[in-house]
Amino acid sequence: MLFSEYLEFIQSDKLGPNGQIKASTAEPTAVIGASLSRIDGPLKTTGSARYASDHNFPGMVYAVPVGATVASGKIRSIDTSTSEKMPGVVAILHHGNFDPVFRNASGGRNSEQRPPFEDEVVYYWGQYVALAVAETFAQAQAAAAAVKISYAPDAFNVSTNLSDPMPAIGASEGPRVLSHRGDPEGVFTSAPVKIDYTYTTPAETHNPMEMHATVAIWDGKKYTLYESSQGVMNHATVMYQVLGVPRENVEVISRFIGSGFGGKLFPWPHSALAAVASRRLNRPVKLTLSRKMMFANVGHRPRTQQRMRLGATPEGKLLSLCQDYRNHTSINDDIRENCGEATPFLYSTANLQVSSALVRRNVGTPTPMRGPGAVPGLFALESAMDELAIKLNMDPVALRLGLDTLTDEEKNKPFSSRHLKECLQVGSEKFGWSKRTLGVGSMRKGDLILGWGVAAASWSAGRGVAEASVSLRADGSARVSSGTQDPGTGTYTVVAQIVSDKTGIPVRKIQSVLGSSSLPPGPTSGGSTATATVIPAVAEAAVNAIKITLTAATTTKGSPFLGKQVKDLAMSSGRIHLKNQSPESGIPFEEILKLGNIASADGQGKTGGYGSDTDGKNFSSHSFGAQFVEVEWDPGICRLRVSRVVSVVDAGRIINAKTARNQMAGAIVMGIGMGLLEQTTYDSRNGHPINDNFADYVVPTSADHPEIDIHFLDIPDPMIGEYGARGLGEIGLAGIAPAITAAVYHATGVRVRNLPVRIEDLITANVAV
Amino acid sequence: MDSFTFTRSTTVDQAVQLAAKSLTAQQGAQVRFVAGGTTLVDLMKLNVERPREIVDINSLPLDRVEPSPAGGLILGALARNSDVAHNAAVIRDYPVLSQALLSGASPQLRNMATTAGNLLQRTRCVYFRDTAHACNKREPGTGCSAITGHNRMLAVLGTSKDCIATNPSDQNVALTALEATIQIQGPKNKRSIPIHDFYLVPGSTPHIENVLRPGEIITSVTLPPPVAGTNSTYLKLRDRAAYEFALASAAIVMKVSGGRIQHIRVALGGVGTKPWRSFEAEKVLEGHAPDRALFQRAAEAALKDARPQSENAFKVELSRRCIVRALTMSTKSA
């Protein structure tokens, strides 16, 4: 999905906009930007946080799906005679005996448009074709393994070569032109310096620690779904339609999430399977995916193939830039990986084209994975920039600095806040870039060869609509709630910090309540937009709760402020006081509430979508960054490791330095996985994602964790919202892979254009041992 | 996973008797011993192993590491990998074994896994582990999915037209270089087998991986007395820095005296269908002055018979480099 489509999606709940978000001129209190531990940390480290599959109920049964063992075809027969007689088995469900599941046509976003068990057709290996339900998990697993299915297989395609024949760019059924200015083809043809290479990134599988799971309860009227979801509101919106019940009859609860990386943004078919089974059997149903199913059934980052053509002058002026890319998608769903997300505006050039095509494969439906589009797109763009710098014999940092621009040349608007130049400069300084020597294999550290590489990073900034509620309570505490969720990023803590900033109540006395669709509608945790989206609503709700308290202070008998004007009062440090006097001169807010016999002062707040700002429409908002990577190369044994990363990020104001660093460090390690290790391999003979386990799908371990230096510019974005915070979920991953391959080239002389970098690629490197 | 009976035995004789009724001690065994369970339980969950009876041997008195009368070391079958790796005598006299153990798996797994369990570790070939695919090792006669499939991790030495599965162990490579002997007790007798003869190459019977017969249990592994003046090294190469099976590894036991190599044992991991003793490399090295050119000739000899598959040709060169580096390391520490 294109980011613009995502923004549209998160703004699609037509919540009445609360008018413009005004940039605040006031400096927030010290709690903003503080390095605070997560308030939910103790619950997680002591094992008392309950994740979706930790929920158990009397009478609960276990459901285990059966996956297809062909990539395409029709189910000829399903033999359940053995499995049905096995101990503890309650039901074996499949397309022949399942209850209706519907498509969602009235808002919300689903992952697979095709309802599970809709018919006998199989479109990819692992597609759910039956569901075994039994009294225990082991019984359900055994029964699932005993279901015998025969197929009439059809031809299928899981090829990694995406060069399928198709009409010309721009023609009907041909690649779509997503961006175009000037005369990119003509100017490229006559450019004095040309780069023309094709880069590929493999399918990658989201592998959060916590597997997807649904615990479904049907009470005769209403469904309660315990999910691992990055978007409880959207999940409920989709599921009420999928299940064919009124909206208020579905509640989705996701209090703790063992991360998602985008894989848990939208519902997957197992949720409907569990819910329908719970109604059918009138018993709570628990369905937990196996790690194996994570590779087939719940999305992946699709494979991309990107031809990059850069035309330049010998001095490093970018005359033209063409990115013609393809990505694979599933048979039934059109998922466009937006590889050109950053291309139109990252560097100044008068002639540009981005085109995009979808190539169908018999694989599960792809879905956004951390930095969708931009991350693989920047691998191609930034690799091509590095190759251009080498061809021009220019320093790659200098080349980028020379192409910096403060205008979005695609939209012809100024950036609300762009500091790519500072990122590159600060990063160079911290990394020691000036000590880099140019020659391949020219830098040594003992017996090892060092390689240094750099890449720019970018990720869109956005804000959706949200509501939040803040209560100031007579016991001196506060409560903040919103129907968003904390996928492990720190949202619980961040919303508490906002309330603390407004009220002066310490964070430890603020209860954050998230993760239920019954709360005031909050944002999906995706696209690095949740923080920017939820903050204004929380801030407004806090201000409104304060107003109620101040009003009580002026009207309650016995209040020292009885008869004063609300406008002359303020709340800070948790105390009500005269605006022109210190907080110490006033009294704790809870004294006012107690005097007035008020249990809590409840304020509501709303965030309008980014499109609701008249000012915002005049600017282009993005986050930026610079990634510097050092690799150590031991050619004698062909061993390559990332040893050092310096990451400088311009993501607006940082709300919580600790959780922000945590997000960045995790993303950087994920980038090492993308650069050196990760790829989902589909067996060409049957479409099975064959490396569907953690021994064969290799991700970085702690031992692969390099020295990481993260620096935030911490410059508030005046257009994104009151605090100027843009969000940090994805930017840390952007630019890491191309910085790695640039460093690999510097060390080995091998340019890897097809990720990941493998020993196979490097074993032919001709660097002296 | 299928239902099974679970029996805990307290004596070796009892365990042997319980297992003797199994028709085979190889793939498809009806009775299986469980110790650490780090391989068996996984394979049962995957329906690759479907024993009807599990005999828990964790209570058997086989967990000691003690000197042998001949001056070597006896590793009890149930000695945990962590305990062996950190045993003072192992670190002093057989560092290659400690290094190999510590390069394998994770601390949690090493705390569970046992010496004999590691000896019997099964291959990580994805087709062996997934019942949706044909596999001669899992179900004899069904064919090999790996030869025409995803075979990057698989073997280049000792393969056959029926199987190219790699023996994934690190420990067993070190034990091979150390010329360990495996003590076995069966229903009728006890026997002692040199590790090199314990494992079988797949040939046309890849489901038969070693010489164990029904009821036989490994009681201990004996290391011969350390050869005075030797260095030993284990070097493991893989995609990431930890917790991954070897693409190529080498265990070297070497003694240099008077400027010449006087005792040399070379074993390879990650490339063979069994822990691979390279007599060819040893022959090139024995009696010669250690230098880089010699090491390269030894590495060439070791991989002379390699038969790479569609995805793993790089392992031949990687294994050569591994051998050269491990030999060089063994020389340096002398």
Side-chain angles (χ1 to χ4, degrees), chain A residues 604-617:
Chain A
Q604 314 303 325
K606 286 181 181 179
T607 304
Y610 204 38
S612 67
D613 304 2
T614 41
D615 281 357
K617 284 178 183 163

Side-chain angles (χ1 to χ4, degrees), chain A residues 292 683 685 688 699 760, chain B residues 127 130 133 145 152 240:
Chain A
K292 180 186 173 77
D683 192 311
R685 299 162 303 175
H688 178 184
V699 299
E760 292 90 312
Chain B
Y127 300 100
D130 195 319
H133 302 283
S145 301
R152 179 173 187 265
R240 67 181 173 194

Side-chain angles (χ1 to χ4, degrees), chain B residues 163-177:
Chain B
C163 186
I164 57 171
T166 319
N167 183 301
S169 170
D170 295 300
Q171 170 196 274
N172 304 343
V173 180
L175 291 177
T176 298

